[in-house]
Amino acid sequence: MGDSGTRTRRRLLLVSTNYAPEHAGIGPYATQTAEHWAAGGDEVHVLTGMPHYPSWRLDPAYAGVRRVEEQRGGVSVHRRRHLVPARQTAVTRALFEASVLAGGWFPPAGLDRPDAVVAQLPSLAAGVIGARLARRFRVPFIPVVQDLMGAAAAQSGIRGGRPAAGAAGAVERYVLRRAALVGVIHETFTPRVAAMGVPEDRIRVVPNWSHVPSPSRPRAEMRARLGWREGRTVLLHSGNMGLKQGLEVLVETARLDPRLRVVLMGDGNQRERLRSMAGGLPNLDFLPPADDAEFPEVLAAADVLAVTQRASVVDMSVPSKLTSYFAAGRPVVASVAREGGSALEVARSGAGVVVPPEDPHALLDAVRSLAADPGRADALGERGSVYAAVHLSREAGLARIDALLAEALGERALGDRARESGVRADEPDVRSEAAEAAAGPDRPADARVARTEDAHAAGEIEGAVGT
């Protein structure tokens, strides 16, 4: 850092299996982070895969492409081919991870030594690649955990997931133990990461932000375009249609009340199975993902926004869709486990209600209650909008990422300034009374998790990735 207090130009490598033009999941966060660094004057490289999410179909524009170098938003993007399995099982997921690992084993040609390597998890392969390249270049490695993959294998319902959870957890431990600092998107991840042998003083909470703008057009205008007549309640779910979402509960909710219009907007490997399960229900619509420009308007046009997860999903993920839901200004009904991070975020925001997962009757009761009390519904939606503006702005989120990177690089002054401008007042340790209630009376306020070692598994992985 120079005498003027400004930092020198850095060379940064971000490893993320997902990146633009993907518009769902972690892709937008990787893209906005990299372009933010580039806009600040850094030389930024991204090692990524081919666009395929959330449909789990290869973008036709990349058919037959083995590797390609692109310039996007001032960022050098290095894409490598990998398997894109149409069906998600433990075996196909392992093959996907292996193909990502093979494609990214060596650094991009011509890349000089970076100052740091940042990786987004998932995927596990991105974490292994990031850890390996950081070790090769002898620079700090900073993984950001968006999903906990060992827990995901056990909780998501993927075929063969429970037997595979141990192997996924071993790889995860290998990756996270090699980090200078570990970023997690929610404080509920911290005990799990600490249990993998990462000291808690090396874990930082870096929540995702709302990566879409607030709606700007009248709701009635978009409802008319979508054919949603006034007076009929519309319950909308937007995003990935995968196993962990447990979207069967929305199909059954539609079946319970023909007057309710349920809309599933998005794509994913469970879309066709859900369509078949619905059997042509006239009040259940399947829509493709909305264009980026119209996405916030579609969310705002709905009466209630739904987030659902299988009952087994507790501490493996917090859906990124929540940040967009809050910004849309509509009430949220969360059919999720009360002890999980999703329930905590809904309670903390004050933007909605939590009902038991996989219970269509409870979900329908909550939707009917909101429809019968428009004033309450509007008030909940307004709280979400305020929460998003105050705590989940892009500027605040990127400032937290900047602080994480600066601290890992030893840029203390810069890190302090970024942290002061970006960290929300109630994070990570202070919770609202509503959030405490959602967490449950048996949840320890100060989780102290015994740290265990798995030397055998770590040794096997060490030998596999080499130096």
Side-chain angles (χ1 to χ4, degrees):
M1 186 174 297
D3 294 337
S4 65
T6 59
R7 59 172 172 77
T8 58
R9 187 173 193 241
R10 304 170 299 190
R11 180 179 298 114
L12 304 172
L13 174 62
L14 173 62
V15 184
S16 175
T17 307
N18 304 95
Y19 200 75
E22 293 180 355
H23 53 78
I26 68 173
Y29 298 109
T31 304
Q32 292 181 10
T33 297
E35 293 184 354
H36 165 71
W37 288 335
D42 293 320
E43 177 187 333
V44 184
H45 296 260
V46 172
L47 181 57
T48 188
M50 302 295 174
H52 66 280
Y53 188 86
S55 66
W56 285 94
R57 292 186 295 271
L58 180 66
D59 186 326
Y62 292 84
V65 176
R66 181 180 179 81
R67 58 177 58 204
V68 64
E69 318 298 321
E70 303 171 347
Q71 286 292 320
R72 280 180 169 270
V75 176
S76 297
V77 181
H78 311 267
R79 296 191 187 275
R80 301 294 180 262
R81 185 175 65 182
H82 53 80
L83 175 70
V84 181
R87 293 180 64 247
Q88 291 289 302
T89 67
V91 172
T92 59
R93 179 72 194 202
L95 293 172
F96 164 77
E97 296 281 0
S99 67
V100 172
L101 186 61
W105 190 250
F106 297 103
L111 174 67
D112 293 329
R113 180 179 182 270
D115 293 294
V117 178
V118 180
Q120 291 234 65
L121 278 71
S123 70
L124 286 175
V128 174
I129 291 166
R132 179 177 184 275
L133 294 179
R135 181 175 178 179
R136 172 175 178 160
F137 288 117
R138 299 184 182 278
V139 299
F141 170 54
I142 309 107
V144 177
V145 180
Q146 298 273 351
D147 282 346
L148 289 160
M149 296 304 292
Q155 297 177 15
S156 67
I158 191 171
R159 183 179 176 184
R162 288 194 177 276
V171 177
E172 206 163 32
R173 284 194 298 274
Y174 167 83
V175 170
L176 298 181
R177 287 173 179 174
R178 278 147 184 80
L181 293 172
V182 176
V184 295
I185 65 163
H186 201 268
E187 65 262 34
T188 53
F189 290 9
T190 299
R192 281 267 189 178
V193 173
M196 296 180 203
V198 179
E200 288 193 33
D201 62 5
R202 283 169 41 200
I203 303 171
R204 303 289 182 270
V205 180
V206 285
N208 284 336
W209 55 92
S210 181
H211 59 80
V212 300
S214 298
S216 59
R217 290 185 292 189
R219 293 182 63 227
E221 178 182 323
M222 181 55 70
R223 286 181 72 96
R225 287 185 54 187
L226 293 168
W228 300 348
R229 64 176 175 80
E230 292 299 325
R232 187 176 189 185
T233 303
V234 175
L235 174 65
L236 171 68
H237 176 278
S238 174
N240 183 36
M241 300 182 191
L243 283 168
K244 70 181 179 184
Q245 282 76 27
L247 291 168
E248 297 85 353
V249 69
L250 290 177
V251 175
E252 294 307 319
T253 300
R255 205 184 306 277
L256 288 173
D257 187 353
R259 296 168 298 176
L260 174 67
R261 186 166 194 164
V262 178
V263 180
L264 301 182
M265 182 175 74
D267 210 337
N269 56 55
Q270 296 299 300
R271 180 185 173 106
E272 292 310 312
R273 191 185 72 81
L274 291 165
R275 189 190 292 274
S276 176
M277 176 185 175
L281 282 171
N283 61 324
L284 177 59
D285 299 330
F286 288 82
L287 297 182
D291 293 339
D292 289 348
E294 293 194 338
F295 179 61
E297 313 297 338
V298 175
L299 294 183
D303 295 291
V304 181
L305 300 172
V307 58
T308 64
Q309 291 177 326
R310 293 168 58 93
S312 57
V313 175
V314 178
D315 55 3
M316 57 156 283
S317 69
V318 177
S320 59
K321 66 171 59 68
L322 279 175
T323 63
S324 302
Y325 281 9
F326 296 154
R330 299 307 304 155
V332 177
V333 171
S335 174
V336 300
R338 283 193 176 272
E339 64 270 30
S342 299
L344 178 56
E345 277 304 294
V346 172
R348 173 182 281 155
S349 69
V353 296
V354 178
V355 300
E358 301 184 33
D359 186 340
H361 293 278
L363 200 161
L364 179 59
D365 286 347
V367 172
R368 284 173 170 171
S369 176
L370 290 170
D373 190 348
R376 177 178 174 232
D378 289 344
L380 291 174
E382 179 62 23
R383 289 176 195 165
S385 182
V386 170
Y387 182 78
V390 173
H391 299 303
L392 302 179
S393 70
R394 183 183 305 189
E395 293 75 17
L398 292 171
R400 296 181 192 113
I401 295 293
D402 283 344
L404 177 70
L405 176 61
E407 184 179 359
L409 288 171
E411 299 171 357
R412 298 295 181 183
L414 180 62
D416 290 345
R417 287 201 300 274
R419 192 176 297 106
E420 287 169 5
S421 65
V423 176
R424 64 196 191 196
D426 62 344
E427 193 173 8
D429 297 321
V430 181
R431 297 177 179 177
S432 66
E433 292 181 5
E436 289 284 8
D442 298 326
R443 183 180 180 86
D446 182 16
R448 303 186 188 282
V449 182
R451 294 171 187 148
T452 59
E453 296 293 327
D454 190 344
H456 177 65
E460 288 184 340
I461 299 166
E462 183 78 46
V465 301
T467 58

